[in-house]
Amino acid sequence: MKWTWLAVAIVVVLTGGVASAQAPRRGGVIRVGLDADTTGMDPHGASAAVDRHVYQNLYDKLVDINQDLQIVPMLATSWTLSNDGKTYTFKLRPNVVFHDGTPFNAEAVKYNFERMLEPGSFRRSEIILVQKATVVDPLTVQIDLERPSSALLAVLSDRAGMMVSPTAARRLGRDFGREPVGTGPYKFVERRPQDRTVLERFDRHWDKTAGNVDRIIYRPFTDEQARTANLRAGEVDIINIVPPADIPALRTDARVKLLERLGLGWAGVWVNTGSGALSNRALRQALNATIDRVTLTRVVFGDTAAPANGPFPQGMLGYDAGPNARIPERNLDLARAKLREGGQPNGFTFTLKMPPGRVPQQIAQVIQSMAGEAGIRVNVEIVEFGSLLSQMDTHRYDASLVSWSGRPDPDGNVYNIFNTGGGFNYSAYNNPRLDALLDAARILTAPDLRRRAYADALTIMNEDLPYIFIYWPKEYKAMTPKLQGFVHNSDGMIRLRNVWLNP
């Protein structure tokens, strides 16, 4: 089978993102081009990766990660762990205020943990081991766990560590996301759906080196070509996702600086295991066996992605775990055998939903063609990203092309997604054996023991296929050379707190 109609010539450029040694300048507006519209501004009630780019600048976290994926202080200046591994004690930064002028302190941290543990919170399953938060003194908070958690600090480097104003959250209730209040270097101004989200400098931020520009404007460009064209034309200063086909031209374009790192995320096909055409495991296995990951990755991404076998990309603990470390090969004989086992010897039909964009369309076309050779008919449907997430959350789909942006600890790449009742368990998946392994991996501290647990978990996932892992994308950012001080982390988040513009 030839795929010349999709062939993409890719040139990979190994460049790094480092903070500039120049003195920061004040003033100006940074314009960010996003691959989709933001869906909401409440970090405890959101699931979209695109929102996290805004959150990085609107909210401070208890801790953050650096370029080496090490945990570093932010709102928590230091922490200690009890000998039994079940109690964290955080010392908090003094003289921090929320955007509404109320103080950040231990009481605020206690409130945030209690809010995240409420039913319906997307963060609940991420911090489910937390039993209680106790105020020791105004700048000291104690977090007691049901059992040790090797992943807690990594979890707190993302949305679970983002602190919201208790005063605003109590006043606004479920409407908090419409008027969000954090402690970040930029505060919320407005959100116009399908148009823009706007932040402006918060002059009372505790870090006087942060918040260098007057405003940040986030604009959605679901069309990859439009996103890149606006960057080249100077209409935006940085884009969050760089189309693979545009990378060679961007590399030689003096108007653009291109950065590359190994990523933390995974991508492929989310599958509804609870109902619909792919609720039959044998039929999921049949579809999986039709996919040639090496060919698909090469023709769509070139060298900008790697074929995947699971949720742990290269460099992450679990990447080479167990016998399933090899990349699955295409096997049409196996696909046909699984179709017979699933009671559909002549094939079946399902709908593959995807967000708008050239790359998702290319992936869908390749899957459609490959599956068709085994008699599996794939109907492709394009759905606005926010609506697609809503449909997945309520399990109103067969399969979906939606990726996971990645977390620094392997727990963040698997637990909340595939554990029964997990906040992102869009697959409606339930396997007690997997639950037990993921729980064990959370409390183990020895890397070899965690790796063994993830190896066994990977075996189960590749049998049950709640998600068909296809590729691991590399992490790219493209920006104007005028943007200074940007640090490119593997999690792909656009952190602008210490960034400035040169004229």
Side-chain angles (χ1 to χ4, degrees), residues 331-347:
N331 188 333
L332 288 180
D333 288 337
L334 175 61
R336 295 183 180 107
K338 289 297 181 180
L339 286 173
R340 291 192 294 272
E341 180 183 329
Q344 300 289 344
N346 298 318

Side-chain angles (χ1 to χ4, degrees), residues 408-450:
D409 187 274
D411 178 86
N413 267 20
V414 63
Y415 190 93
N416 210 24
I417 302 102
F418 302 110
N419 184 66
T420 302
F424 300 115
N425 191 341
Y426 298 135
S427 300
Y429 180 58
N430 180 348
N431 188 315
R433 289 178 56 226
L434 182 67
D435 292 347
L437 287 166
L438 297 184
D439 283 335
R442 273 191 154 183
I443 65 176
L444 295 170
T445 55
D448 286 346
L449 294 178
R450 292 190 81 198

Side-chain angles (χ1 to χ4, degrees), residues 251-293:
R251 175 64 183 96
T252 58
D253 192 331
R255 298 167 294 179
V256 174
K257 179 163 54 174
L258 182 68
L259 306 179
E260 177 193 305
R261 291 182 66 90
L262 289 176
L264 302 177
W266 40 257
V269 179
W270 226 299
V271 181
N272 184 356
T273 67
S275 61
L278 290 166
S279 58
N280 183 317
R281 187 178 77 159
L283 299 185
R284 297 197 297 274
Q285 293 172 335
L287 173 63
N288 182 59
T290 69
I291 299 173
D292 183 340
R293 288 161 170 78

Side-chain angles (χ1 to χ4, degrees), residues 198-216:
V198 181
L199 307 182
E200 68 178 23
R201 181 194 300 120
F202 177 52
D203 290 329
R204 297 181 63 188
H205 191 256
W206 54 269
D207 183 358
K208 300 309 177 185
T209 68
N212 291 309
V213 300
D214 299 325
R215 283 196 164 200
I216 306 173

Side-chain angles (χ1 to χ4, degrees), residues 22-31 212-215 237 480-485 498-503:
Q22 300 177 16
R25 298 175 62 95
R26 285 274 174 166
V29 177
I30 293 178
R31 301 153 303 172
N212 291 309
V213 300
D214 299 325
R215 283 196 164 200
D237 300 302
T480 170
K482 294 189 299 182
L483 205 64
Q484 299 291 308
N498 297 114
V499 171
W500 72 94
L501 286 169
N502 271 347

Side-chain angles (χ1 to χ4, degrees), residues 70-116:
Q70 297 169 327
I71 303 296
V72 295
M74 188 170 273
L75 288 176
T77 57
S78 64
W79 50 90
T80 57
L81 180 62
S82 62
N83 290 335
D84 63 3
K86 295 168 61 176
T87 300
Y88 279 89
T89 302
F90 292 94
K91 291 292 185 179
L92 305 178
R93 191 175 298 278
N95 304 316
V96 177
V97 296
F98 288 99
H99 300 152
D100 58 7
T102 58
F104 166 78
N105 50 30
E107 287 285 356
V109 175
K110 180 177 184 290
Y111 171 83
N112 273 263
F113 273 92
E114 291 171 350
R115 184 175 190 257
M116 288 186 287

Side-chain angles (χ1 to χ4, degrees), residues 284-304:
R284 297 197 297 274
Q285 293 172 335
L287 173 63
N288 182 59
T290 69
I291 299 173
D292 183 340
R293 288 161 170 78
V294 174
T295 296
L296 185 152
T297 303
R298 184 182 72 247
V299 300
V300 177
F301 298 98
D303 292 331
T304 67

